[in-house]
Amino acid sequence: MNILLIGSGGREHALAWSLSASPLCDTLFIAPGNPGTAECGTNVALSVTDHDAVVQFCREHAIGLVVIGPEAPLVAGLVDDLKAVGIKAFGPTRAAAALEGSKGFTKDLCAAAGIPTAAYQRFREAGPALAYLRGVGAPIVVKADGLAAGKGVVVAMTLEDAQAAVEGMFSGSHGEAGAEVVIEEYLEGEEASFFALCDGRTALPIGTAQDHKRAFDGDQGPNTGGMGAYSPAPILTADLQERVMREIIRPTLAAMAERGTPYTGILYAGLMITAEGPKLIEYNVRFGDPETQVLMPRLKTDLAAAMLAACDGVLDHFDLRWWDDVALTVVLAAKGYPGKVETGSEIRELDKAEEVVGVTIFHAGTAMSGERLVANGGRVLSVTATADSVAEAQRQAYRAVDLIDWPEGFCRRDIGWRAVARERG
Ligand code: AMP
Ligand code: GLY
């Protein structure tokens, strides 16, 4: 079977790495891919927003499965358009992708199904939103309803910050995404991510992770897409995972099926582990980045087989297996990230870094300039190590990081600190 993978980041390199190892996979195409995915298959310059072009490519290359990495093509209905012409696609339909595409939709679904989440209100105008804020006070969380590339959330510790966020969103700071605003209760606890493989009716846990959203050591600095991650998340014990399945994931699947919009694909639950138990912060309708770079090295089961089983609705007869090792990834970003960055600086000595025991390097924002590998984005590499402890995986990942010759990059030096501290007891 030929597989087409859509996307170009570190997540997609990790997915390409797994898919290309599948005995089910003949040729793997990646659109548009990056220099890392080119080592796992064939990169193709396809305009992913042109759904007709994607369909035509699938027909010409006998694609048996399309795997979609990022949320935008899902929210834009690429799965619907592929399925409509009989092409198997892994991921939710446009309607089901509303779990990420609209925070208000998800909050209403949680309220109706009794899924634990922060108390909230939805607003379409600034006046009532500001009045509500004055009533509830700070700390409080203000969110743009729609997709805002991870920048639509303001955790306001003061009423003034919350008011400024509301005014900004309603005056267009987040474009269409901010036409509606959700204001919700501030949750206290430790965050963790839970991933479920879903086929519309059945969900199987596919892994847990914790990421590091702030740019600098000690969780300081601006929010980013994620500077590193590890899996599993030790806070999500077997008991808590069962609770997440029972109280959050299964009721969501049931509610989506009941609405006539069954959920197929990866359901990524961002959780706050509060004193009262796990509460849903948000859903994403895809794998995480950089979480995928730590989920894939731990997954023993053939990813292509698992995705096909999800597409075919037979997960009730499927079984996922993992390696015992833990995985940890350190993101190397271009200096300036998450702000403006320079592209084009050369990256050297990756081969040497990859010789470190247990290390795999996933490309995110890289490009080839002739024979040279150069930086081509904010998050550039994801240096992943597996080992039998988080402390050892951390050591190996940084050993590899230190062998990479790229003065224009930076990384956090404390990825995994929480888990390492836990390990030490
Ligand atoms: P989101 O884009 O919804 O994942 O939000 C980004 C980040 O904001 C989350 O990872 C949390 O750290 C924080 N956050 C979001 N909602 C809440 C909440 N209700 N209480 C506390 N922190 C939150
Ligand atoms: N690392 C967070 C995300 O993928 O949304």
Side-chain angles (χ1 to χ4, degrees), residues 1-6 51 54-55 58 63-69 73-74 77-94 197-200 262-266 285 304 306-313:
M1 179 180 64
N2 295 336
I3 300 178
L4 171 64
L5 169 65
I6 308 274
H51 295 188
V54 177
V55 166
C58 291
I63 300 294
L65 175 68
V66 180
V67 176
I68 297 162
L74 296 166
L78 182 54
V79 167
D80 308 58
D81 290 343
L82 290 165
K83 277 191 177 164
V85 295
I87 298 167
K88 218 169 259 188
F90 179 79
T93 58
R94 185 201 328 251
L197 176 69
C198 305
D199 73 355
Y263 188 91
T264 300
I266 292 295
V285 296
M307 288 176 163
L308 283 173
C311 290
D312 293 343

Side-chain angles (χ1 to χ4, degrees), residues 62-63 83 94 105 161 215 219 246 257 282 298 334 386:
I63 300 294
K83 277 191 177 164
R94 185 201 328 251
F105 171 86
D161 287 355
D219 294 327
R246 191 174 63 238
E282 61 155 3
R298 294 197 66 241
T386 55

